[in-house]
Amino acid sequence: MGFYSNVLLPWLMDRSMADPALVPHRREILANVSGNVLEVGVGSGINLPYYPEAVTQLTTVDINPGLNAIAQRRITASPLTVNNQVLNGESLPMATASFDYVVSTYTLCSIAQVHEALSEIARVLKPGGQFVFLEHGLSDRPNIQRWQHRLTPLNKLLADGCHQNRNIQQLIEAHFEQVTLERFADESMRFMGQIYYKGIATKTPVAPD
């Protein structure tokens, strides 16, 4: 699986994630991001051109070295100051309350210990900081859900651990009290019942004394 997971799959993922139909959603979730930012699961770096100038420092992490090699080209071309690290999101080495924003796009589907990753995201956010996300997951249609459950074991093997059947809303709400979320269908994949989750989760601010 070395050549597939480190060379062929990263190329395929880069092509699919570069779909122009997804660009407006990427722009939307990143429009108000500022300050010190962490992107978990940077993949091939497709989000980099859409970060605003208000971002003063961007730290990116991803566990796949093949995707990281593609991301390096976009990092080099980016005007942002980027600290890129090859590691997973389940045990982040960053200090608690380090970031103003954490970003995740099409990442929560493939992290093996997703609750650990979300706990880490909440930990490294400053009080009042925001987790902005664009993810895909469990359909709201029972007949589609059944197929998502059946196909997920195969999809995990072929798509670097990607789960089609994760309820992203429930996962995020288990770690954040304040969540604003929109669910919408992917028109290009309507036959599969693909559902996207887009929104913002805010870490509870520290109460004044």
Side-chain angles (χ1 to χ4, degrees), residues 74-97:
R74 292 191 171 102
I75 290 170
T76 300
S78 174
L80 297 170
T81 300
V82 181
N83 173 20
N84 182 48
Q85 302 183 42
V86 181
L87 51 86
N88 65 42
E90 299 161 351
S91 181
L92 297 172
M94 297 81 177
T96 297

Side-chain angles (χ1 to χ4, degrees), residues 125-141:
L125 272 172
K126 297 176 182 179
Q130 293 187 325
F131 171 43
V132 298
F133 56 89
L134 174 62
E135 300 286 346
H136 75 93
L138 189 67
S139 172
D140 53 1
R141 295 159 56 185

